[in-house]
Amino acid sequence: MGWNGADLFVAGGLEVLPGGFAAGGGTSTRFEGFPVAAAVRGGVLHVHFRGDALGEVPEALAARSGAARAVAACYSGVADTYVLEVAEAGVPTRLLVVSGGEAVVDEGEPLPVEDGGHDDPEERLFALLERLTGTAVPALPGLEEAWTELRVV
């Protein structure tokens, strides 16, 4: 598919933003207008980083949120590299980095939702995110939620 971006999912609203981010002044019904944007649905905060904002994604973003469970993913179709990171109560429990179709980092116990899947690493990552968060990532541009612009502080 060739997506370049990143997503973070944590339980709660804007008050659970990880350190280093604050709500900006803009809102939109589509996230593409902002390099970094957040939406809340079903009690889950979703932060989306557009491809050109990936430099703003802190290392171990999922762990830094301190939430009961945080799920972070980065995907770069151009580099054929995909990352899944899961943290429980701020402690990293799973890190999987797939590049060129091969796992180059595989830390922590595999999650039960990792069973089965797709041959394509990008499609597999999207399926894992949906199983872990209830959000279908490829459908994001069609979501009707209000997205809030985020800024790095």
Side-chain angles (χ1 to χ4, degrees):
M1 236 191 273
W3 283 58
N4 288 306
D7 291 287
L8 169 68
F9 302 88
V10 294
L14 289 174
E15 73 278 359
V16 298
L17 278 173
F21 293 96
T27 59
S28 173
T29 56
R30 295 176 66 90
F31 67 77
E32 292 103 331
F34 309 120
V36 184
V40 179
R41 62 185 171 280
V44 175
L45 172 68
H46 176 185
V47 180
H48 176 76
F49 301 84
R50 203 171 60 199
D52 57 354
L54 288 177
E56 305 297 347
V57 182
E59 291 180 5
L61 184 58
R64 290 184 187 186
S65 74
R69 170 179 268 184
V71 177
C74 295
Y75 27 88
S76 176
V78 175
D80 194 21
T81 300
Y82 306 93
V83 178
L84 173 69
E85 184 176 7
V86 179
E88 303 287 346
V91 177
T93 58
R94 182 72 172 126
L95 177 61
L96 180 63
V97 180
V98 176
S99 187
E102 300 291 326
V104 294
V105 178
D106 189 348
E107 298 175 359
E109 289 295 316
L111 303 167
V113 297
E114 292 182 52
D115 289 340
H118 303 263
D119 291 333
D120 179 84
E122 187 170 83
E123 292 297 326
R124 182 169 188 251
L125 178 59
F126 290 151
L128 290 174
L129 283 176
E130 186 169 3
R131 291 178 201 150
L132 287 166
T133 69
T135 297
V137 176
L140 288 177
L143 293 175
E144 295 298 323
E145 287 81 17
W147 289 86
T148 299
E149 177 184 22
L150 298 184
R151 55 186 170 77
V152 177
V153 293

